[in-house]
Amino acid sequence: NMYNFVFAGGRLEQMMGTIRFVNLIIVWVLVLGILYFAVAFVCVLFQYPRFWNECAVGFSGVLFAILTVDSFSAPPGTQLSMFGWQIPARWYPWAMLVFTQVLMPNVSFIGHLVGILGAFVFSHGLLEFFMFP
């Protein structure tokens, strides 16, 4: 996670500027909490209450959001390496989600998933209202 934060976060900060980058992180912390609640609630509606009783703490959702936005900004056709495997940049966050879940099955799947979803929300301009100019 921290490796991704240093490299992907550094590139995103250079693209956005430090103030907007910090603003985005604060907005993501709030939005990802709301998304987590929404996804867990939908799971309960579909008779899958496991995620409702799960706790997600930490910064991983924001790190997955940063990783996802960074992969979106890669030129088309870019391949990223994950332990020697070349993965298209667009699929890299999803591969990391699966890899993380397989390697550490007790980590919060939804916590990481909402990070990817939060990046989609940001990339489609839906958080622009909350961002500094």
Side-chain angles (χ1 to χ4, degrees), residues 38-59:
V39 170
F41 184 74
V42 168
C43 288
V44 167
L45 291 177
F46 285 99
Q47 306 297 316
Y48 194 72
R50 174 185 167 221
F51 296 120
W52 188 258
N53 298 319
E54 193 176 274
C55 178
V57 295
F59 203 60

Side-chain angles (χ1 to χ4, degrees), residues 12 24 26 38 41 56 59-60 74 79 96 106 113 121:
L12 187 57
L24 178 61
I26 292 168
F41 184 74
F59 203 60
S60 291
Q79 302 269 324
M96 283 297 290
N106 293 325
L113 176 65
V121 169

